[in-house]
């Protein structure tokens, strides 16, 4: 029916996007296609997912779109997909959960592998780097929580190469867990290289690998 009407469209199962030249045409087509689906095919249209909008304000299968230089349109990860990813990471890295760190790393590797495999078509790769920085900060916060006592923090910071006087000073900071996790204190000790050795497999690294390798 869409082909008969001359519409440009893309579909996957029952998810569908129709592309038009104007907002007025989009609203008109949305109304007529919805009517056809419900009256002729006797199917129910999901009104919460159906909308007439700009490509970069909509999403399909977790992806959204953005305008590139030169006027072309590229694929990116939708904001709602990023929010869902962060919610899963928050659960894995929750300081209230008694997970051992190796278990957290294991769960994060599983999550990141699946996420990158699904969103590997995204052309806006900066989202992988930005999310990696955020996840590392969550991980650092977990370490700081586990070390809890100032004496333990001094010991662990010293083992990571911090001078004793500085370790004592940092271990007695009054900053909260999240604020400390983003400070020079932990960024310089629990750096990206160390977290990688400990077991963090980053989104950005995975996105550069051939699918067979992960």
């Amino acid at each position: 029916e869409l082909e008969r009407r001359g519409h440009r469209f893309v579909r996957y199962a029952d998810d569908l996007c129709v592309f038009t030249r104007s907002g007025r045409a989009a609203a008109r087509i949305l109304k007529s296609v919805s009517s056809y689906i419900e009256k002729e095919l006797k199917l129910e249209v999901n009104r919460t997912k159906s909308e007439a909008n700009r490509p970069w304000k909509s999403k399909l299968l977790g992806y959204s779109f953005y305008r590139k230089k030169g006027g072309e349109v590229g694929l990116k990860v939708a904001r709602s997909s990023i929010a869902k990813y962060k919610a899963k990471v928050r659960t894995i890295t929750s300081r209230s959960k008694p997970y051992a760190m190796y278990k957290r790393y294991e769960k994060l590797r599983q999550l990141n592998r699946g996420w990158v495999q699904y969103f590997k078509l995204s052309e806006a790769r900066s989202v992988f780097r930005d999310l990696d920085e955020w996840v590392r900060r969550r991980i650092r916060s977990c370490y700081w929580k586990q070390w809890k006592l100032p004496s333990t923090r001094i010991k662990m910071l010293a083992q990571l190469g911090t001078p004793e006087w500085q370790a004592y000073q940092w271990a007695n900071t009054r900053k909260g867990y999240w604020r400390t996790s983003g400070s020079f204190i932990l960024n310089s000790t629990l750096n990206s290289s160390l977290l990688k050795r400990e077991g963090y497999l980053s989104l950005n690294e995975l996105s550069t690998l051939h699918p067979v390798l992960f």
Side-chain angles (χ1 to χ4, degrees):
E1 179 64 19
L2 290 171
E3 289 173 346
R4 188 186 69 78
R5 297 186 185 193
H7 296 322
R8 295 184 303 159
F9 67 95
V10 59
R11 66 172 276 223
Y12 182 86
D14 59 346
D15 283 319
L16 175 76
C17 278
V18 180
F19 299 98
T20 66
R21 292 185 178 276
S22 70
R24 181 177 295 179
R28 174 175 51 80
I29 292 169
L30 174 61
K31 183 178 180 179
S32 66
V33 169
S34 297
S35 177
Y36 178 86
I37 290 173
E38 292 183 333
K39 291 181 179 179
E40 301 295 329
L41 302 183
K42 310 302 180 184
L43 298 172
E44 184 179 352
V45 174
N46 188 329
R47 299 292 177 178
T48 59
K49 291 177 63 178
S50 301
E51 61 179 0
N53 214 334
R54 293 288 190 181
W56 42 91
K57 291 184 179 180
S58 61
K59 70 182 183 69
L60 178 68
L61 302 173
Y63 281 93
S64 187
F65 311 90
Y66 71 102
R67 189 177 293 282
K68 299 191 289 187
K69 291 181 179 179
E72 294 183 358
V73 175
L75 274 177
K76 70 174 184 177
V77 182
R79 289 183 179 179
S80 58
S81 299
I82 294 173
K84 289 177 182 177
Y85 172 82
K86 284 189 169 185
K88 291 178 180 178
V89 172
R90 286 190 181 96
T91 299
I92 295 170
T93 59
S94 173
R95 296 189 301 270
S96 63
K97 291 188 180 296
Y99 289 148
M101 287 306 298
Y102 81 89
K103 195 67 177 178
R104 296 184 197 271
Y105 283 124
E106 182 181 301
K107 289 179 177 291
L108 286 172
R109 284 196 298 271
Q110 292 174 349
L111 174 62
N112 285 359
R113 283 193 179 102
W115 211 75
V116 170
Q117 181 66 17
Y118 187 85
F119 289 109
K120 62 186 177 183
L121 297 178
S122 174
E123 298 170 74
R125 294 303 178 93
S126 61
V127 67
F128 295 135
R129 295 191 298 271
D130 294 343
L131 285 174
D132 278 329
E133 286 302 312
W134 179 78
V135 174
R136 290 190 186 100
R137 187 170 177 179
R138 296 283 307 181
I139 294 172
R140 292 183 185 110
S141 184
C142 288
Y143 277 111
W144 201 241
K145 171 71 172 180
Q146 285 189 356
W147 295 349
K148 199 166 185 178
L149 296 176
S151 58
T152 304
R153 290 173 178 172
I154 292 171
K155 177 184 176 181
M156 298 307 296
L157 289 172
Q159 287 181 5
L160 293 172
T162 306
E164 189 173 344
W165 68 269
Q166 199 170 42
Y168 178 85
Q169 185 182 55
W170 287 357
N172 287 281
T173 180
R174 294 184 179 181
K175 295 178 181 178
Y177 294 115
W178 183 244
R179 190 175 175 188
T180 303
S181 66
S183 68
F184 180 75
I185 297 174
L186 295 189
N187 275 307
S188 61
T189 51
L190 296 173
N191 53 44
S192 299
S193 297
L194 186 142
L195 296 185
K196 180 180 179 179
R197 292 197 301 271
E198 287 292 301
Y200 181 62
L201 189 57
S202 73
L203 292 167
N204 193 49
E205 185 177 3
L206 282 168
S207 69
T208 63
L209 296 176
H210 189 280
V212 173
L213 298 180
F214 65 90

